[in-house]
Amino acid sequence: MAMHGMRGLAIFISDVRNCQNKELERLRVDKELGNIRNRFKKEKGLTPYAKKKYVWKMLYIYMLGYDVDFGHMEAVSLISAPKYPEKQVGYIVTSCLLNENHDFLRLAINTVRNDIIGRNETSQCLALTLVGNIGGREFAESLAPDVQKLILSSSCRPLVRKKAALCLLRLFRKSPDVVNVDGWADRMAQLLDERDLGVLTASMSLLVSLVSNNHEAYWTCLPKCVKILERLARNQDVPQEYTYYGIPSPWLQVKTMRALQYFPTIEDPNSRRTLFEVLQHILMGTDVVKNVNKNNASHAVLFEALALVMHLDAEKEMLSQCVALLGKFIAVREPNIRYLGLENMARMLIVTDVQEIIKRHQAQIITSLKDPDISICRRALDLLYGMCDVTNAKDIVEELLQYLSSADFTMLEELSLKAAILAEKFAPDLSWYVDVILQLIEKAGDFISDDIWFRVVQFVTNNDDLQTYAAAKAKEYLDKPAVHEKMVKVCAYILGEYSHLLARRPGCTPKEIFSIIHEKLPTVRTTTIPILLSAYAKILIHTQPPDQVLRNQIWAVFTKYESCIDAEIQQRAVEYFALSRKGAALMDILAEMPKFPERQSSLIKKAEDAEGGTAEQSAIKLRAQQQPSNALVVTNQHPANRAPPPVSVGQLSLVKAPSMDDTEDHSIERAPSQENVNISKVDPQAPSADLLSDLLGPLAIEGPPGAAVQYEHNATPGLDSGPDASAIVPVAEETNTIQPIVNIAERFRALCFKDSGILYEDPYIQIGIKAEWRAHHGRLALFLGNKNTSPLISVQALILPPAHLKMELSSVPDTIPPRAQVQFPLEVVNLQPSRDVAVLDFSYKFGTNKVNIKLHLPALLNKFLQPISVSTEEFFPQWRSLAGPPLKLQEVVRGLRPMALTEMENLLHSFGLMISQGLDPNPNNLVASTIFCSEKTHGMLCLVRIETDPADRTQLRMTLASGDPTLTFELKEFIKEQLVSITTVTPAPPAAPPTPQILSSDPAALLAGLLS
């Protein structure tokens, strides 16, 4: 502060500093504020000197943390003072006390503009500093053109031009839509030829912001950036004052390399060769020294160079050199340098072929895992997690298990989760996987989530060969004196299901198994007792021949808990006791649990949610691309005439084990008709080349070629040719400058008859959908995948539901990070029959491109149809009771494409209708039935009769009957529209499609097989 001659200000500061406590300080400040307020209010003829002194006092009080809610006008008025001391204090205090939305700033805009365009360099610098600090839309609208002229002015000193560049950068960041930078590519190239490094550094900061928003317009700046980097790093052509500990302008080097990373590639061979020579020079010239400041500067340049090397997809030799240099870093004693080495090595995992090079440093990374500094341990854990594959998984997981006993408790949960994921993905065999998970539960039971032991139960249930081994290991662990409650849960469940497989082994009789489990009953909480009761019931039915003593013991336990206060325990005890007295009936009710259906694993998702830094996220993303182990692969049990498409076990979600309490999520319940799942071996899969398909999982894959054709046919191309086609044809904004790269109408038609796939895709985003339908409820998951290296901002999604649907959409994040995917669920309830379609109004912003699209969601009437078979005794009474309109409607449909009767059957089956054979005596007619579900109609039976003429297949007569007139009309119109719109051959229904041959080495085909 310029306090020369201001004795009152000096005395006030001295008084404040001499206060003995906070209360005395507050009293002194309040007294001074009252004095200043009175002076501003009463003395109209306040001299500029006095006003300057009081405004300085206001600033000092504000710096002490007190509110200053007056005197702002006096501070702003000093900006227009003719003398420098008053103008200086006006600019400084205004920039500190006022924000961009303050009304008083409008009074100063003209004065600030006059100072900027004036000839006084000191006033220009003060004005530019104020605008750069405050920013704001009004400043951008009024002053941006003048600031731009100042940057390019050859008559201004470098100091002013530097401040002008930083000022424009601030305005552009705050209001990119207001600051006009069109045609600035040539001007930026001109600025990059500047010899003054101060102006050049400020201009480079501005360029980084511009190319991050739109790199296409600034290709001419790319060779200039390479020349600047060559001038600094290799030629070291810089003034002495810009050399920091022998490093030429490290800040400018970092900014230049960061700007280069926004360009997709460097096509000019000369520029590319020069750039790699410079990067090679940086890599060769960087080492660890004792001077901390020099280390900080050189390492900043080095790590930015590493990021540029990864971005440019350099040759393997240079990548090896980068990894070797980082290997030196993680071996030094200085913890900060070790941390940086581990973090950047984890980032390098995203580059192809680097993983094998990093494996050479595995021993040193494991040593870092045991470092006393927990931050280094976390980075080492992330790196081990990212570099793990089938070749080193066993060694890494065993090290993690050993580290569990000495790890900091704050790391145990993350450590256990990642060890479980690695064991699952890269297990050499299933028995090893079971051993690892049981060891995890034993060593860190308090930090193991239920998801992990649910996963073990799923694998054991789905693989018959594993069940005997798992039961033996469960008995072994449960036999120990001190057992964690989670171990009791998993072992009791496994023994209850499969202990009969051990019956011939010594010490494994049903009575002994019951005794081992029952010993743990007094030590567990009420949430575990239901699992033990289920295990007792299972043991009882597997005891052959029946053991009277064992039965009495188990009945005694059931009787004890019949009066338990916990409803779940009481219900199980009562029901198991009653069932066990029915003898043979219990065998069917308590048979072995069926195979779990395949679902996407939630372990990796849980790990992603737990990560906080970019290096960790890179490692997590890499896990989605890694090839899994041969051992843990799940396939569908299809009928004998269908080839089972193998899919990775990573696609299975956690299904909560049976015998949990009634509050479990109902989404995990099995339908009786679901197909079983088993575990078999296939060839290892290669990493996917399409990063977005990995991010979006199965939704990025439309399916194998055969399946794709099938879905297109089932979706009835030409859907929009019907009279009410406008209700089900997706629309997009014609004014968008960004056009979709897929046919939106075809995508929608395909999703009308399947439950997962791509709904929309353009160069920046991919929108996928996955749906489950149960009765009149539906659950849709919308997946938004960012395909670019820059974030998508201003993301908004709005559902416009029709009157017959109740839809609830969860919150959508405002920003989608680069190369990331977000998911948000949509709950649907069908209130009444209708063919109207819901609309998704979706918008986002990428750079200067604002995209708004309106997409129809595939929540159609046929999604709420459930095929049902009816017998002759059931059909005809219903058919006769629904006599005449409006409950029974008939219509002749003409203009059809001729199709065989079997083809017509397949088509009706794809609509959700079940063909009943033999009900109509005429072999040319079809009779079908279905259940329509809604809140209004509940589950209402619908009957359909199709009469065809073999002599004229272009027409038919359709009769439809139901107990609701609206349903009868809507379903009739829906079927008619589909029949009329058929223009191509319709293949077999999706219930039993011939599965094409899928190569196990193609992950895209495997995921497509899962969706088919």
Side-chain angles (χ1 to χ4, degrees), residues 337-406:
I337 296 176
R338 274 211 316 281
Y339 180 94
L340 292 171
L342 292 168
E343 185 180 39
N344 282 272
M345 196 175 280
R347 287 196 178 102
M348 292 199 70
L349 286 170
I350 64 175
V351 182
T352 309
D353 298 331
V354 170
Q355 188 173 358
E356 292 298 324
I357 307 173
I358 294 179
K359 286 181 185 178
R360 302 170 190 170
H361 304 276
Q362 180 172 315
Q364 186 61 47
I365 298 170
I366 291 174
T367 302
S368 299
L369 181 67
K370 302 169 184 177
D371 193 274
D373 190 329
I374 190 173
S375 60
I376 293 178
C377 297
R378 290 187 184 278
R379 297 290 79 78
L381 175 60
D382 295 329
L383 182 52
L384 287 172
Y385 179 74
M387 64 186 282
C388 185
D389 61 17
V390 291
T391 62
N392 61 355
K394 199 167 183 178
D395 295 335
I396 290 178
V397 172
E398 288 176 357
E399 289 290 343
L400 296 182
L401 289 175
Q402 292 180 12
Y403 181 56
L404 272 174
S405 57
S406 59

Coordinates of all heavy atoms in Angstrom, one line a residue, residues 337-406:
I337 N 8.9 -37.2 -4.9 CA 9.3 -37.7 -6.3 C 8.8 -39.1 -6.5 O 8.3 -39.4 -7.6 CB 10.8 -37.6 -6.4 CG1 11.3 -36.2 -6.3 CG2 11.3 -38.3 -7.7 CD1 12.8 -36.0 -6.3
R338 N 8.8 -39.9 -5.5 CA 8.3 -41.3 -5.6 C 6.8 -41.2 -6.0 O 6.3 -42.0 -6.8 CB 8.5 -42.1 -4.3 CG 9.8 -42.8 -4.3 CD 9.8 -44.1 -3.5 NE 9.1 -44.1 -2.3 CZ 9.5 -43.6 -1.1 NH1 10.7 -43.0 -1.1 NH2 8.8 -43.6 0.0
Y339 N 6.1 -40.3 -5.3 CA 4.6 -40.2 -5.5 C 4.4 -39.8 -7.0 O 3.5 -40.4 -7.6 CB 4.1 -39.1 -4.6 CG 2.6 -38.9 -4.7 CD1 1.7 -39.5 -3.9 CD2 2.1 -38.0 -5.7 CE1 0.3 -39.3 -4.1 CE2 0.8 -37.7 -5.8 CZ -0.1 -38.4 -5.0 OH -1.5 -38.2 -5.2
L340 N 5.1 -38.8 -7.5 CA 4.9 -38.4 -8.8 C 5.3 -39.5 -9.8 O 4.6 -39.6 -10.9 CB 5.8 -37.1 -9.1 CG 5.4 -35.8 -8.3 CD1 6.4 -34.8 -8.5 CD2 4.0 -35.4 -8.8
G341 N 6.3 -40.2 -9.6 CA 6.7 -41.3 -10.4 C 5.6 -42.4 -10.5 O 5.2 -42.8 -11.6
L342 N 5.0 -42.8 -9.4 CA 3.9 -43.8 -9.4 C 2.7 -43.2 -10.1 O 2.0 -43.9 -10.9 CB 3.6 -44.1 -7.9 CG 4.7 -44.9 -7.2 CD1 4.4 -45.0 -5.7 CD2 4.8 -46.3 -7.8
E343 N 2.4 -42.0 -9.8 CA 1.2 -41.4 -10.4 C 1.3 -41.3 -11.9 O 0.3 -41.7 -12.7 CB 0.9 -40.0 -9.8 CG -0.4 -39.4 -10.3 CD -0.6 -38.0 -9.7 OE1 0.4 -37.2 -9.6 OE2 -1.7 -37.7 -9.4
N344 N 2.4 -40.9 -12.4 CA 2.6 -40.8 -13.9 C 2.7 -42.1 -14.6 O 2.3 -42.3 -15.7 CB 3.8 -39.9 -14.2 CG 3.4 -38.4 -14.0 OD1 2.9 -37.7 -14.9 ND2 3.7 -37.9 -12.8
M345 N 3.3 -43.1 -13.9 CA 3.4 -44.4 -14.4 C 2.0 -45.0 -14.6 O 1.7 -45.7 -15.5 CB 4.3 -45.3 -13.5 CG 4.7 -46.6 -14.2 SD 5.9 -47.5 -13.2 CE 7.4 -46.6 -13.5
A346 N 1.1 -44.7 -13.6 CA -0.3 -45.2 -13.7 C -1.0 -44.5 -14.9 O -1.8 -45.2 -15.6 CB -1.0 -44.9 -12.4
R347 N -0.7 -43.3 -15.2 CA -1.3 -42.6 -16.3 C -0.8 -43.2 -17.6 O -1.6 -43.3 -18.6 CB -0.9 -41.1 -16.3 CG -1.6 -40.3 -15.3 CD -1.5 -38.8 -15.6 NE -2.2 -38.0 -14.6 CZ -1.6 -37.3 -13.6 NH1 -0.3 -37.4 -13.5 NH2 -2.3 -36.6 -12.8
M348 N 0.4 -43.7 -17.6 CA 0.9 -44.3 -18.9 C 0.3 -45.6 -19.2 O 0.5 -46.1 -20.3 CB 2.5 -44.5 -18.8 CG 3.2 -43.2 -18.7 SD 5.0 -43.4 -19.1 CE 4.9 -43.7 -20.9
L349 N -0.5 -46.2 -18.3 CA -1.1 -47.5 -18.6 C -2.1 -47.4 -19.7 O -2.5 -48.4 -20.3 CB -1.8 -48.0 -17.3 CG -0.9 -48.6 -16.3 CD1 -1.6 -48.9 -15.0 CD2 -0.2 -49.8 -16.8
I350 N -2.6 -46.1 -20.0 CA -3.6 -46.0 -21.1 C -3.0 -46.2 -22.4 O -3.7 -46.3 -23.4 CB -4.3 -44.6 -21.0 CG1 -3.3 -43.5 -21.3 CG2 -5.0 -44.4 -19.7 CD1 -3.9 -42.1 -21.3
V351 N -1.7 -46.2 -22.6 CA -1.0 -46.4 -23.8 C -0.8 -47.8 -24.1 O -0.4 -48.6 -23.3 CB 0.4 -45.6 -23.8 CG1 1.1 -45.8 -25.2 CG2 0.2 -44.2 -23.5
T352 N -1.1 -48.2 -25.4 CA -0.9 -49.6 -25.8 C 0.5 -50.0 -25.7 O 1.4 -49.3 -26.0 CB -1.4 -49.8 -27.2 OG1 -2.7 -49.2 -27.3 CG2 -1.5 -51.2 -27.6
D353 N 0.7 -51.3 -25.3 CA 2.0 -51.9 -25.2 C 2.9 -51.4 -24.0 O 4.0 -52.0 -23.9 CB 2.8 -51.8 -26.5 CG 2.1 -52.4 -27.7 OD1 1.3 -53.4 -27.4 OD2 2.2 -52.0 -28.8
V354 N 2.5 -50.4 -23.3 CA 3.3 -50.0 -22.2 C 3.3 -50.9 -21.0 O 4.2 -50.9 -20.2 CB 2.9 -48.5 -21.8 CG1 3.6 -48.0 -20.6 CG2 3.3 -47.6 -23.0
Q355 N 2.1 -51.6 -20.9 CA 1.9 -52.4 -19.7 C 3.1 -53.4 -19.5 O 3.5 -53.7 -18.4 CB 0.6 -53.1 -19.8 CG 0.2 -53.8 -18.5 CD -1.2 -54.4 -18.5 OE1 -1.9 -54.2 -19.5 NE2 -1.6 -55.1 -17.5
E356 N 3.5 -54.0 -20.6 CA 4.6 -55.0 -20.5 C 5.9 -54.4 -20.0 O 6.7 -55.0 -19.3 CB 4.8 -55.7 -21.9 CG 3.7 -56.6 -22.3 CD 3.4 -57.7 -21.3 OE1 4.4 -58.3 -20.8 OE2 2.3 -58.1 -21.1
I357 N 6.1 -53.1 -20.4 CA 7.3 -52.4 -20.0 C 7.3 -52.1 -18.5 O 8.3 -52.2 -17.8 CB 7.6 -51.2 -20.8 CG1 7.5 -51.5 -22.3 CG2 8.9 -50.5 -20.5 CD1 7.5 -50.3 -23.2
I358 N 6.1 -51.7 -18.1 CA 5.9 -51.3 -16.6 C 6.1 -52.5 -15.8 O 6.5 -52.4 -14.6 CB 4.6 -50.6 -16.4 CG1 4.5 -49.3 -17.2 CG2 4.3 -50.4 -15.0 CD1 3.2 -48.6 -17.1
K359 N 5.8 -53.7 -16.3 CA 5.9 -54.9 -15.5 C 7.3 -55.2 -15.0 O 7.5 -55.8 -14.0 CB 5.4 -56.1 -16.2 CG 3.9 -56.2 -16.4 CD 3.6 -57.5 -17.2 CE 2.1 -57.6 -17.5 NZ 1.8 -58.8 -18.3
R360 N 8.3 -54.6 -15.7 CA 9.7 -54.8 -15.3 C 10.0 -54.2 -13.9 O 10.9 -54.5 -13.2 CB 10.6 -54.2 -16.3 CG 10.4 -54.8 -17.7 CD 11.2 -54.0 -18.8 NE 10.9 -54.4 -20.1 CZ 11.3 -53.7 -21.2 NH1 12.0 -52.6 -21.1 NH2 10.9 -54.1 -22.4
H361 N 9.1 -53.2 -13.6 CA 9.3 -52.5 -12.3 C 8.4 -53.0 -11.2 O 8.1 -52.3 -10.2 CB 9.1 -51.0 -12.5 CG 10.0 -50.4 -13.6 ND1 11.3 -50.0 -13.3 CD2 9.8 -50.2 -14.9 CE1 11.9 -49.5 -14.4 NE2 11.0 -49.6 -15.4
Q362 N 7.8 -54.1 -11.4 CA 6.8 -54.6 -10.5 C 7.3 -54.8 -9.1 O 6.7 -54.4 -8.1 CB 6.3 -56.0 -11.0 CG 5.2 -56.6 -10.1 CD 4.5 -57.8 -10.8 OE1 4.2 -57.8 -11.9 NE2 4.4 -58.9 -10.0
A363 N 8.6 -55.3 -8.9 CA 9.1 -55.5 -7.6 C 9.3 -54.1 -6.8 O 8.9 -54.0 -5.6 CB 10.5 -56.2 -7.7
Q364 N 9.7 -53.1 -7.5 CA 9.9 -51.8 -6.9 C 8.5 -51.2 -6.5 O 8.3 -50.5 -5.5 CB 10.6 -50.8 -7.8 CG 11.0 -49.5 -7.2 CD 11.9 -49.6 -6.0 OE1 12.9 -50.4 -6.0 NE2 11.5 -49.0 -4.9
I365 N 7.5 -51.4 -7.4 CA 6.2 -50.9 -7.1 C 5.6 -51.6 -5.9 O 5.0 -51.0 -5.0 CB 5.2 -51.1 -8.3 CG1 5.8 -50.3 -9.5 CG2 3.8 -50.7 -8.0 CD1 5.1 -50.7 -10.8
I366 N 5.8 -52.9 -5.7 CA 5.4 -53.6 -4.6 C 6.1 -53.1 -3.3 O 5.4 -53.0 -2.2 CB 5.6 -55.1 -4.8 CG1 4.7 -55.7 -5.8 CG2 5.4 -55.9 -3.5 CD1 4.9 -57.1 -6.2
T367 N 7.3 -52.8 -3.4 CA 8.0 -52.2 -2.3 C 7.4 -50.8 -1.9 O 7.2 -50.5 -0.7 CB 9.5 -51.9 -2.7 OG1 10.1 -53.2 -3.0 CG2 10.3 -51.3 -1.5
S368 N 7.0 -50.0 -2.9 CA 6.3 -48.8 -2.6 C 5.0 -49.0 -1.9 O 4.5 -48.1 -1.2 CB 6.1 -48.0 -3.9 OG 7.4 -47.7 -4.5
L369 N 4.4 -50.1 -2.2 CA 3.1 -50.4 -1.5 C 3.2 -50.5 0.0 O 2.2 -50.2 0.7 CB 2.5 -51.8 -2.1 CG 1.2 -52.2 -1.6 CD1 0.1 -51.3 -2.0 CD2 0.9 -53.6 -2.1
K370 N 4.4 -50.8 0.5 CA 4.6 -51.0 1.9 C 5.2 -49.7 2.5 O 5.8 -49.8 3.6 CB 5.5 -52.2 2.1 CG 4.8 -53.5 1.6 CD 5.8 -54.7 1.6 CE 5.2 -55.9 0.9 NZ 6.1 -57.0 0.9
D371 N 5.2 -48.6 1.8 CA 5.8 -47.4 2.3 C 5.0 -46.9 3.5 O 3.8 -47.0 3.5 CB 5.8 -46.4 1.1 CG 6.7 -45.2 1.5 OD1 6.2 -44.2 2.1 OD2 7.9 -45.2 1.1
P372 N 5.7 -46.2 4.4 CA 4.9 -45.6 5.6 C 4.0 -44.5 5.2 O 3.0 -44.3 5.9 CB 6.0 -45.1 6.5 CG 7.3 -45.9 6.1 CD 7.1 -46.2 4.7
D373 N 4.3 -43.8 4.1 CA 3.4 -42.7 3.6 C 2.2 -43.3 2.9 O 2.3 -44.0 1.9 CB 4.2 -41.9 2.6 CG 3.5 -40.6 2.3 OD1 2.2 -40.6 2.3 OD2 4.1 -39.6 2.0
I374 N 1.0 -43.1 3.4 CA -0.2 -43.7 2.9 C -0.5 -43.2 1.5 O -1.1 -44.0 0.7 CB -1.4 -43.5 3.8 CG1 -2.6 -44.4 3.4 CG2 -1.8 -42.0 3.9 CD1 -3.7 -44.3 4.4
S375 N -0.2 -42.0 1.2 CA -0.4 -41.5 -0.2 C 0.4 -42.3 -1.2 O -0.1 -42.5 -2.3 CB -0.1 -40.0 -0.3 OG 1.2 -39.7 0.0
I376 N 1.6 -42.6 -0.9 CA 2.4 -43.4 -1.8 C 1.8 -44.8 -1.9 O 1.8 -45.4 -3.0 CB 3.9 -43.4 -1.3 CG1 4.5 -42.0 -1.4 CG2 4.7 -44.5 -2.1 CD1 5.9 -42.0 -1.0
C377 N 1.4 -45.4 -0.8 CA 0.7 -46.7 -0.8 C -0.5 -46.7 -1.8 O -0.7 -47.6 -2.5 CB 0.3 -47.1 0.6 SG 1.6 -47.3 1.7
R378 N -1.3 -45.6 -1.7 CA -2.4 -45.6 -2.6 C -2.1 -45.5 -4.1 O -2.7 -46.2 -4.9 CB -3.3 -44.3 -2.2 CG -4.0 -44.4 -0.9 CD -4.9 -43.3 -0.7 NE -5.5 -43.3 0.6 CZ -6.6 -44.0 0.9 NH1 -7.2 -44.8 0.0 NH2 -7.1 -43.9 2.2
R379 N -1.0 -44.7 -4.4 CA -0.6 -44.7 -5.8 C 0.0 -46.0 -6.2 O -0.2 -46.4 -7.4 CB 0.4 -43.6 -6.0 CG -0.1 -42.2 -5.7 CD -1.1 -41.6 -6.7 NE -2.4 -42.2 -6.5 CZ -3.3 -41.7 -5.6 NH1 -2.9 -40.8 -4.8 NH2 -4.5 -42.2 -5.5
A380 N 0.7 -46.7 -5.4 CA 1.3 -48.0 -5.7 C 0.1 -49.0 -5.9 O 0.2 -49.8 -6.9 CB 2.2 -48.5 -4.6
L381 N -0.9 -48.9 -5.1 CA -2.0 -49.8 -5.2 C -2.7 -49.6 -6.6 O -3.1 -50.5 -7.3 CB -3.0 -49.6 -4.1 CG -4.3 -50.4 -4.1 CD1 -4.0 -51.9 -4.2 CD2 -5.2 -50.1 -2.9
D382 N -2.9 -48.3 -6.9 CA -3.6 -48.0 -8.2 C -2.8 -48.5 -9.3 O -3.3 -49.0 -10.3 CB -3.8 -46.5 -8.3 CG -4.8 -46.0 -7.2 OD1 -5.7 -46.7 -6.8 OD2 -4.6 -44.8 -6.8
L383 N -1.5 -48.4 -9.3 CA -0.6 -48.8 -10.3 C -0.6 -50.3 -10.5 O -0.7 -50.9 -11.6 CB 0.8 -48.3 -10.1 CG 1.9 -48.6 -11.2 CD1 1.4 -48.2 -12.6 CD2 3.2 -47.9 -10.9
L384 N -0.5 -51.0 -9.4 CA -0.6 -52.5 -9.4 C -2.0 -53.0 -10.0 O -2.0 -53.9 -10.8 CB -0.4 -53.1 -8.0 CG 1.0 -53.0 -7.4 CD1 1.0 -53.4 -6.0 CD2 2.0 -53.9 -8.2
Y385 N -3.0 -52.3 -9.6 CA -4.3 -52.6 -10.1 C -4.4 -52.4 -11.6 O -5.0 -53.2 -12.3 CB -5.4 -51.8 -9.4 CG -6.8 -52.0 -9.8 CD1 -7.5 -53.1 -9.4 CD2 -7.5 -51.0 -10.6 CE1 -8.8 -53.3 -9.8 CE2 -8.8 -51.2 -11.0 CZ -9.4 -52.4 -10.6 OH -10.7 -52.6 -10.9
G386 N -3.8 -51.3 -12.1 CA -3.8 -51.0 -13.5 C -3.0 -51.9 -14.4 O -3.3 -52.2 -15.5
M387 N -1.8 -52.4 -13.8 CA -0.9 -53.2 -14.6 C -1.2 -54.7 -14.6 O -0.5 -55.4 -15.2 CB 0.6 -52.9 -14.2 CG 0.8 -53.3 -12.7 SD 2.4 -52.9 -12.1 CE 3.4 -54.1 -12.9
C388 N -2.1 -55.1 -13.8 CA -2.4 -56.5 -13.6 C -3.0 -57.1 -14.8 O -3.9 -56.5 -15.5 CB -3.3 -56.7 -12.4 SG -3.5 -58.4 -11.9
D389 N -2.6 -58.3 -15.2 CA -3.3 -59.1 -16.2 C -3.1 -60.6 -15.9 O -2.7 -60.9 -14.8 CB -2.7 -58.7 -17.6 CG -1.2 -59.0 -17.8 OD1 -0.7 -59.7 -16.9 OD2 -0.6 -58.5 -18.7
V390 N -3.5 -61.4 -16.9 CA -3.5 -62.8 -16.6 C -2.1 -63.4 -16.2 O -1.9 -64.4 -15.6 CB -4.1 -63.6 -17.7 CG1 -5.5 -63.4 -17.9 CG2 -3.3 -63.3 -19.1
T391 N -1.0 -62.7 -16.7 CA 0.3 -63.2 -16.5 C 0.9 -62.9 -15.1 O 1.7 -63.7 -14.6 CB 1.3 -62.6 -17.5 OG1 1.3 -61.2 -17.4 CG2 0.8 -62.9 -19.0
N392 N 0.5 -61.8 -14.5 CA 1.0 -61.5 -13.2 C 0.0 -61.4 -12.1 O 0.2 -60.9 -11.0 CB 1.8 -60.2 -13.3 CG 1.0 -59.0 -13.7 OD1 -0.2 -59.2 -14.0 ND2 1.6 -57.8 -13.7
A393 N -1.3 -61.7 -12.4 CA -2.4 -61.5 -11.4 C -2.1 -62.3 -10.1 O -2.4 -61.8 -9.1 CB -3.7 -61.9 -12.1
K394 N -1.6 -63.5 -10.3 CA -1.5 -64.4 -9.1 C -0.4 -63.7 -8.1 O -0.7 -63.7 -6.9 CB -1.0 -65.8 -9.5 CG -1.2 -66.8 -8.5 CD -1.1 -68.2 -9.0 CE -1.4 -69.3 -8.0 NZ -1.3 -70.7 -8.5
D395 N 0.7 -63.3 -8.7 CA 1.7 -62.6 -7.8 C 1.2 -61.4 -7.2 O 1.4 -61.1 -6.0 CB 2.9 -62.3 -8.6 CG 3.6 -63.6 -9.2 OD1 3.4 -64.6 -8.5 OD2 4.3 -63.5 -10.2
I396 N 0.5 -60.5 -7.9 CA 0.0 -59.3 -7.4 C -1.1 -59.5 -6.3 O -1.0 -58.9 -5.2 CB -0.5 -58.4 -8.5 CG1 0.6 -57.9 -9.4 CG2 -1.3 -57.2 -8.0 CD1 0.2 -57.0 -10.6
V397 N -2.0 -60.4 -6.6 CA -3.1 -60.6 -5.6 C -2.5 -61.2 -4.3 O -2.9 -60.9 -3.2 CB -4.1 -61.6 -6.2 CG1 -5.1 -62.0 -5.1 CG2 -4.9 -60.9 -7.4
E398 N -1.5 -62.1 -4.4 CA -0.9 -62.7 -3.2 C -0.2 -61.6 -2.4 O -0.2 -61.6 -1.2 CB 0.1 -63.8 -3.6 CG -0.6 -65.1 -4.1 CD 0.3 -66.1 -4.6 OE1 1.6 -65.9 -4.6 OE2 -0.1 -67.2 -5.0
E399 N 0.5 -60.7 -3.1 CA 1.1 -59.5 -2.4 C 0.1 -58.7 -1.7 O 0.3 -58.2 -0.6 CB 1.9 -58.7 -3.4 CG 3.2 -59.3 -3.9 CD 4.2 -59.5 -2.8 OE1 4.1 -58.8 -1.8 OE2 5.2 -60.2 -3.0
L400 N -1.1 -58.5 -2.4 CA -2.1 -57.7 -1.7 C -2.7 -58.4 -0.5 O -3.0 -57.7 0.5 CB -3.2 -57.4 -2.7 CG -2.9 -56.5 -4.0 CD1 -4.1 -56.3 -4.9 CD2 -2.3 -55.2 -3.6
L401 N -2.8 -59.7 -0.6 CA -3.3 -60.4 0.6 C -2.3 -60.4 1.7 O -2.7 -60.2 2.9 CB -3.5 -61.9 0.2 CG -4.7 -62.2 -0.8 CD1 -4.8 -63.6 -1.2 CD2 -6.0 -61.8 -0.1
Q402 N -1.0 -60.4 1.4 CA 0.0 -60.3 2.5 C -0.1 -58.9 3.1 O 0.1 -58.7 4.3 CB 1.4 -60.6 2.0 CG 1.6 -62.1 1.6 CD 3.0 -62.3 1.1 OE1 3.8 -61.5 1.2 NE2 3.2 -63.5 0.5
Y403 N -0.3 -57.9 2.3 CA -0.3 -56.5 2.7 C -1.5 -56.2 3.6 O -1.5 -55.3 4.4 CB -0.2 -55.6 1.5 CG -0.2 -54.1 1.9 CD1 0.8 -53.6 2.7 CD2 -1.1 -53.3 1.4 CE1 0.8 -52.2 3.0 CE2 -1.1 -51.9 1.7 CZ -0.1 -51.4 2.5 OH -0.1 -50.1 2.8
L404 N -2.5 -57.0 3.5 CA -3.8 -56.8 4.2 C -3.5 -56.7 5.7 O -4.1 -55.9 6.5 CB -4.8 -57.8 3.9 CG -5.7 -57.6 2.8 CD1 -6.6 -58.8 2.5 CD2 -6.6 -56.4 3.0
S405 N -2.6 -57.6 6.2 CA -2.3 -57.7 7.6 C -1.6 -56.4 8.2 O -1.7 -56.2 9.4 CB -1.5 -58.9 7.9 OG -0.3 -58.9 7.2
S406 N -0.9 -55.7 7.4 CA -0.2 -54.5 7.9 C -0.7 -53.2 7.3 O -0.1 -52.1 7.6 CB 1.3 -54.7 7.6 OG 1.5 -54.8 6.2

